[in-house]
Amino acid sequence: VVGCMPPPVSSAVILTKSVGGNEAAAIFNSAMGSFLGIIVTPALLLIFVGTTTSIPFAMIFTKLSLTVLLPLVVGQVVRQRVKKWLEELNPPFGLISNIILLLIIYATFCDTFNR
């Protein structure tokens, strides 16, 4: 079932950036994978499991738009407005993103074994 799911957005982008990959392509692939997952995931589950169910496409599309597209658009707008200031400040975004990813993994690990 997990193999039928779309790719995770944040970890794919963070890991791609940490190894020096194309971050824009990772964001695009993750966003596209999430939206394709709305259609592909139920189709794959139907093929592998063999049962059907109703899927609230509008609700899923709205939630994905709010969690993927809206932050992406807001981030691009904010980036254009504060780009010069951030270049002068030069914060360690790579280190910060790696620490956040480790915290997410740690929290998930703890939550899994807490049940």
Side-chain angles (χ1 to χ4, degrees), residues 51-85:
T51 59
T52 61
T53 186
S54 63
I55 301 166
F57 284 109
M59 182 187 73
I60 293 171
F61 187 79
T62 302
K63 283 186 178 183
L64 269 174
S65 295
L66 290 174
T67 59
V68 176
L69 286 181
L70 182 64
L72 188 63
V73 170
V74 170
Q76 291 301 314
V77 170
V78 170
R79 180 181 181 186
Q80 293 303 317
R81 299 199 187 271
V82 298
K83 184 176 183 177
K84 191 173 186 178
W85 176 72

Side-chain angles (χ1 to χ4, degrees), residues 15-114:
L15 291 173
T16 300
K17 183 177 181 177
S18 68
V19 297
N22 187 341
E23 188 177 356
I27 291 170
F28 175 79
N29 287 338
S30 293
M32 185 60 71
S34 293
F35 284 107
L36 286 175
I38 296 171
I39 298 167
V40 174
T41 300
L44 287 174
L45 288 173
L46 176 62
I47 292 168
F48 293 131
V49 178
T51 59
T52 61
T53 186
S54 63
I55 301 166
F57 284 109
M59 182 187 73
I60 293 171
F61 187 79
T62 302
K63 283 186 178 183
L64 269 174
S65 295
L66 290 174
T67 59
V68 176
L69 286 181
L70 182 64
L72 188 63
V73 170
V74 170
Q76 291 301 314
V77 170
V78 170
R79 180 181 181 186
Q80 293 303 317
R81 299 199 187 271
V82 298
K83 184 176 183 177
K84 191 173 186 178
W85 176 72
L86 283 175
E87 286 173 352
E88 293 171 3
L89 186 62
N90 197 19
F93 285 127
L95 177 64
I96 293 169
S97 65
N98 286 337
I99 291 170
I100 291 172
L101 178 61
L102 284 174
L103 289 174
I104 291 169
I105 293 170
Y106 177 74
T108 305
F109 180 80
C110 291
D111 187 45
T112 300
F113 290 104
N114 191 25

